Amino acid sequence: MTHSLTHAALAPRHAFFGRHGGVSEGLYDSLNVGAGSRDNPEHVLENRARCLRVLDGKELVTLRQTHSATCHIVDSPINPFD
């Protein structure tokens, strides 16, 4: 089962998902939604669909995490497979 963590200050616009509830296998055995990973793209799409079901049809936006002082403002949909 896919679960999300939320907080009243962030809901309904944000959710955080853990590793459990995904279909990925092997090295990516998790709820991997990283389109830039070398995971099976079909698994990534299914994992993203599972997150969307938890979000009740709202958009799912993910970014590649980097450790820097850069801040990204998301004001339109992002295609993670571009």
Side-chain angles (χ1 to χ4, degrees):
M1 178 179 236
T2 305
H3 298 280
S4 68
L5 303 173
T6 60
H7 187 278
L10 299 175
R13 300 184 60 86
H14 296 80
F16 300 90
F17 292 90
R19 298 180 49 84
H20 302 290
V23 298
S24 295
E25 302 171 336
L27 176 66
Y28 300 102
D29 183 18
S30 66
L31 182 68
N32 179 31
V33 296
S37 70
R38 293 186 178 169
D39 193 359
N40 180 328
E42 291 178 12
H43 291 169
V44 173
L45 287 171
E46 173 57 26
N47 291 336
R48 294 177 71 85
R50 289 176 179 212
C51 290
L52 280 169
R53 284 194 292 275
V54 170
L55 294 172
D56 198 26
K58 294 177 177 63
E59 291 181 295
L60 177 66
V61 176
T62 58
L63 297 171
R64 183 180 302 236
Q65 180 180 0
T66 59
H67 297 278
S68 72
T70 303
C71 178
H72 296 279
I73 298 173
V74 178
D75 58 4
S76 63
I78 296 172
N79 182 347
F81 295 96
D82 281 344

